[in-house]
Amino acid sequence: MPLVLLLAISMIINASVVYAKSPEYGLNFNNDKIHAAVWSPDAEVIYINVYRDCESQSSLFSKALIKLPYGNWSVSLDDSLIGYTYSFSIQRNGQNSREVVDPFVKSTCANGNRGTFLRTDAIIPEGWEKDKFIERKKYDPLILYELHVRDFSIDPKSGMSNKGKYLAFSEKYSNNAMGKPSGINYIKDLGVTHLHLLPVFDFASIDELSDKPKYNWGYDPQNFFVPEGSYSSIPNNPKSRILEFKEMVKSIHESGLGVIMDVVYNHTYYLENSNYQVWAPGYYYRQNEDGTYSNASACGNELATEREKVRELIIESLKFWMNEYHIDGFRFDLMGIMDIPGMKLITEELEKINPGVVLYGEGWLAGSSPLADSLRAMKANMKKIPGISAFSDEIRDGLKGHWSEEKDKGFVSGKPGMKASVKFGIAGASEHPQIDYSKVNNSDFAWAENPWQCINYVSCHDNHTLIDKLKISAGNYDEALLKKMHLLAQSVVLSAQGIPFLHAGTEFFRTKYGDHNSFESPDSINMIDWSLVSENQESIDYLKALIQFRKTNDAFWSVSKNEVNRKLKFLDGDDSELIVFSLKSDDDERGFNEALFLFAGVGTEESFILPDGQWSLQFTGFAKAENKMLEGKITIQGPEAIILTR
């Protein structure tokens, strides 16, 4: 059996002992001293190497750390070194490793290869002490809006000065080239509740010192406690990224929006060249039975989240982002690689800081893993972790067609047999007696303990944008009809139980010109084209009105499957291609007593007899209606969404 595997096994066996004796890792500042604590159980000697600044090529001095029990090491330095930089070297078998930063490093030079002696809590923008989490209770309404920091402002016509940078979010009143609102004031006006930012902690795939940095989504984690430097105005000034990140969060909060961080704790960018391998060979990464490294992330490795030191690293990182940067919630990339006990502990620890913290993730993985199925934080196991939500790929593929089959159609583009999958999401992935689960794609049972666990969406950064998918798959339809299909899909998402999730720019038909995997494509493909706001004001106004309709009616925010079953009734027949459901409210003073939703995909034309009584027409033709009263039989021709209330 390989030595690294034996080491890993021994650490797992003794994990509870090691974890119980953990000091506060990383840097701590007190009593005129800088204290550093690290963990490396098989190291012979560890040195800290001190440099004058980020540009220095030679160290001023090196100092050996003191070895403590349970694999811990520490060193104290004079706080006159604040502002200097540092690295570590680990000696095994008489040989020094390359220089690395510690896993808990919180401030770095450009490209994250050297740490800095800085107190991050002392680097704050004006008014930071008044900045707080967006106040919310656990089941308060959420509408999520996913965007990439660089995409947000890099368009030459965006009207924002700090293009591609954190500081663009601090530009409160920008306009596009045609004078229409752009940036944070536009998003605030749209009515969503939280911004979901693609990865913003330090990732390794971008050269932060390049004058023309390459593009990347950022799913390549390097340092879990450090903001990404390529989005700061001065990447090699360690204070810049810290201050500007906080400026961004403060500005978003001042706009009434919460901040969700997209976090990647399932793998790291490197394996053999990773700092974690230097600190504890074989420990941080999961292995197969034969000692080879497993790869459920499809990125070359997967973190062993079930091991105590890995779990501690993840939890302390999340707590740090909440306490230091006031982050309101987290989206976990490939959450199915992470272990359920760890996710439970994450929930418990983060709710102590903010009871309203928002937690959700991808309830799947990208390859096989040696972690037992019963321990994976996947959709099938969501009832074991009721404080966390997961994406519904059932409604996603049901509405637009399978994500990996470009020409596959869905409900909105006229494919028969998709109704059950769409209804699955409408019920918030919670058990409903009117859904035939044998006809649902991707799942054959209701996996959500409550509808709040279900994230309903039809597009995100991954794969084709919605309008691009429809252009490829729907057939030879003109642009106007394709846009109606697009709006129909978003109408369903915003009418369903659970939590709606919107891809930035979907409200004005954002395109990536057919690029289905734009993770490293240029800005010309990925950027938000703010001119589309001026060209698609009617669709923006429609979705804005639908968002407001949702936010002001409690019927959409059921917190249990029993409440869903009491409020939500499907009225369409098995032989119909329509989806029709009624939704009753417990508080008609806040909105309607009952609403009726009729959805028809392209190619469908049917009549429907309204339940007895008069109904007020709220939405039709993908626009806000003028409260026309209807009763009796109505005809709907797809693609169409009709919403009525009484």
Side-chain angles (χ1 to χ4, degrees):
M1 185 174 292
L3 177 60
V4 291
L5 188 55
L6 286 171
L7 173 63
I9 292 170
S10 68
M11 290 181 192
I12 296 167
I13 294 171
N14 295 295
S16 60
V17 177
V18 173
Y19 188 66
K21 298 294 182 180
S22 293
E24 188 174 348
Y25 291 127
L27 299 184
N28 297 283
F29 301 82
N30 56 61
N31 299 325
D32 299 324
K33 294 290 184 181
I34 302 171
H35 304 280
V38 295
W39 180 76
S40 186
D42 67 336
E44 296 169 353
V45 184
I46 300 179
Y47 296 98
I48 188 167
N49 313 299
V50 177
Y51 295 80
R52 180 64 187 87
D53 52 33
C54 289
E55 285 73 31
S56 298
Q57 298 299 310
S58 301
S59 63
L60 298 174
F61 66 88
S62 296
K63 184 176 180 179
L65 276 67
I66 299 171
K67 187 173 184 179
L68 302 172
Y70 306 105
N72 297 313
W73 300 75
S74 71
V75 66
S76 293
L77 301 166
D78 191 85
D79 70 356
S80 62
L81 294 173
I82 287 178
Y84 287 52
T85 67
Y86 69 96
S87 66
F88 292 95
S89 302
I90 296 94
Q91 186 179 103
R92 292 184 183 88
N93 300 318
Q95 299 293 317
N96 280 344
S97 71
R98 61 182 174 83
E99 295 183 31
V100 295
V101 293
D102 56 298
F104 286 77
V105 65
K106 297 178 176 65
S107 172
T108 68
C109 299
N111 294 320
N113 294 319
R114 193 184 295 170
T116 65
F117 294 120
L118 289 175
R119 291 193 59 153
T120 57
D121 60 352
I123 305 170
I124 58 173
E126 184 178 353
W128 183 247
E129 67 280 357
K130 296 179 181 179
D131 186 76
K132 297 179 181 178
F133 303 120
I134 293 297
E135 188 173 340
R136 64 178 302 274
K137 297 177 182 177
K138 189 69 174 177
Y139 297 110
D140 280 354
L142 286 172
I143 300 175
L144 306 170
Y145 191 81
E146 182 208 49
L147 56 82
H148 182 279
V149 168
R150 188 172 175 87
D151 295 354
F152 174 66
S153 57
I154 202 68
D155 176 13
K157 304 182 293 298
S158 70
M160 288 171 267
S161 300
N162 296 283
K163 297 189 187 304
K165 305 300 182 182
Y166 296 127
L167 289 178
F169 291 84
S170 299
E171 301 180 45
K172 296 289 183 65
Y173 302 105
S174 58
N175 293 291
N176 69 12
M178 282 67 76
K180 290 285 188 179
S182 63
I184 198 67
N185 53 323
Y186 165 84
I187 297 173
K188 175 184 177 181
D189 189 59
L190 189 62
V192 298
T193 66
H194 287 70
L195 296 190
H196 165 149
L197 301 178
L198 266 67
V200 285
F201 58 31
D202 187 40
F203 53 89
S205 50
I206 295 293
D207 180 0
E208 297 175 354
L209 293 176
S210 172
D211 292 335
K212 296 181 179 180
K214 294 181 179 179
Y215 182 94
N216 205 283
W217 284 340
Y219 293 93
D220 304 318
Q222 181 171 350
N223 293 306
F224 289 120
F225 295 75
V226 181
E228 166 60 20
S230 65
Y231 302 144
S232 70
S233 62
I234 313 174
N236 210 33
N237 178 344
K239 293 183 180 180
S240 174
R241 66 182 73 194
I242 297 169
L243 181 64
E244 293 170 11
F245 192 106
K246 290 178 181 178
E247 288 274 17
M248 173 183 70
V249 172
K250 178 173 172 284
S251 178
I252 294 171
H253 281 168
E254 288 172 346
S255 299
L257 300 166
V259 181
I260 306 294
M261 269 184 67
D262 198 328
V263 288
V264 188
Y265 295 113
N266 61 75
H267 77 283
T268 60
Y269 184 63
Y270 302 108
L271 175 59
E272 289 306 327
N273 291 325
S274 107
N275 294 342
Y276 306 99
Q277 283 287 68
V278 175
W279 285 102
Y283 179 77
Y284 284 92
Y285 299 96
R286 204 172 275 152
Q287 295 105 359
N288 298 308
E289 289 185 2
D290 62 2
T292 59
Y293 290 102
S294 52
N295 185 26
S297 68
C299 295
N301 63 84
E302 59 180 296
L303 286 175
T305 64
E306 70 279 9
R307 297 177 188 168
E308 294 292 352
K309 287 299 179 185
V310 183
R311 184 178 293 173
E312 180 179 18
L313 178 73
I314 292 169
I315 291 175
E316 291 305 314
S317 170
L318 291 164
K319 289 166 63 176
F320 179 75
W321 287 106
M322 291 185 73
N323 288 321
E324 183 71 26
Y325 292 97
H326 303 177
I327 298 299
D328 299 274
F330 302 93
R331 177 265 195 192
F332 295 91
D333 182 65
L334 291 181
M335 188 171 65
I337 293 175
M338 302 179 73
D339 67 293
I340 288 173
M343 295 304 295
K344 285 182 176 179
L345 190 56
I346 285 170
T347 306
E348 292 171 9
E349 290 296 311
L350 301 192
E351 286 183 348
K352 291 176 185 177
I353 301 172
N354 176 14
V357 64
V358 181
L359 303 173
Y360 58 98
E362 293 180 300
W364 48 75
L365 34 64
S368 60
S369 173
L371 185 67
D373 288 355
S374 61
L375 294 177
R376 297 177 187 169
M378 299 182 68
K379 286 187 306 174
N381 294 323
M382 291 307 294
K383 292 179 181 179
K384 298 179 181 179
I385 43 176
I388 298 174
S389 308
F391 290 93
S392 171
D393 53 346
E394 296 85 5
I395 192 172
R396 179 198 68 193
D397 291 356
L399 285 168
K400 68 176 181 181
H402 196 276
W403 67 271
S404 68
E405 299 175 21
E406 288 191 343
K407 296 189 176 181
D408 188 41
K409 298 181 181 180
F411 172 80
V412 301
S413 41
K415 183 178 179 179
M418 293 292 101
K419 286 176 53 175
S421 298
V422 177
K423 288 181 177 181
F424 182 97
I426 290 173
S430 58
E431 189 174 355
H432 194 284
Q434 292 181 283
I435 297 174
D436 184 349
Y437 292 95
S438 68
K439 297 180 180 179
V440 175
N441 60 23
N442 302 324
S443 293
D444 56 8
F445 67 97
W447 44 258
E449 179 69 21
N450 57 70
W452 183 85
Q453 281 195 290
C454 177
I455 306 288
N456 283 313
Y457 76 122
V458 68
S459 61
C460 67
H461 67 278
D462 274 324
N463 313 123
H464 292 292
T465 68
L466 180 54
I467 196 67
D468 289 348
K469 166 70 172 175
L470 294 173
K471 285 178 180 178
I472 294 168
S473 65
N476 296 319
Y477 293 109
D478 62 30
E479 185 176 0
L481 202 58
L482 290 171
K483 287 183 174 181
K484 288 182 179 180
M485 295 181 211
H486 184 290
L487 291 173
L488 172 59
Q490 300 295 8
S491 301
V492 176
V493 167
L494 287 166
S495 301
Q497 299 295 301
I499 300 172
F501 174 104
L502 303 175
H503 182 213
T506 192
E507 68 278 10
F508 46 75
F509 310 108
R510 179 182 180 180
T511 178
K512 293 185 182 179
Y513 308 98
D515 189 335
H516 77 285
N517 189 23
S518 67
F519 77 100
E520 59 180 0
S521 299
D523 291 325
S524 57
I525 297 294
N526 281 293
M527 72 180 188
I528 294 176
D529 181 352
W530 286 101
S531 67
L532 294 174
V533 173
S534 303
E535 299 171 18
N536 296 284
Q537 192 62 54
E538 290 183 357
S539 68
I540 294 170
D541 290 343
Y542 168 67
L543 289 177
K544 179 180 172 181
L546 197 53
I547 287 169
Q548 184 64 18
F549 180 69
R550 179 182 182 88
K551 288 171 68 175
T552 53
N553 291 282
D554 82 319
F556 296 103
W557 306 104
S558 301
V559 299
S560 69
K561 68 177 181 180
N562 291 336
E563 188 176 349
V564 173
N565 291 339
R566 177 169 54 82
K567 290 180 177 180
L568 174 66
K569 303 295 180 187
F570 290 102
L571 305 178
D572 51 86
D574 291 339
D575 58 347
S576 170
E577 288 301 320
L578 296 178
I579 292 178
V580 184
F581 64 93
S582 67
L583 189 60
K584 294 186 177 180
S585 172
D586 291 332
D587 183 7
D588 59 2
E589 292 184 2
R590 288 190 60 202
F592 54 76
N593 178 56
E594 184 178 10
L596 190 66
F597 301 80
L598 296 89
F599 300 127
V602 70
T604 295
E605 183 175 359
E606 293 187 29
S607 295
F608 181 81
I609 299 175
L610 299 175
D612 291 344
Q614 288 197 323
W615 292 82
S616 174
L617 183 63
Q618 298 295 323
F619 295 92
T620 188
F622 302 108
K624 187 76 174 72
E626 296 298 326
N627 290 333
K628 179 181 180 182
M629 302 306 294
L630 297 176
E631 59 182 323
K633 184 168 69 173
I634 64 171
T635 299
I636 180 171
Q637 182 174 0
E640 174 65 300
I642 296 176
I643 302 175
L644 310 100
T645 62
R646 63 180 178 184

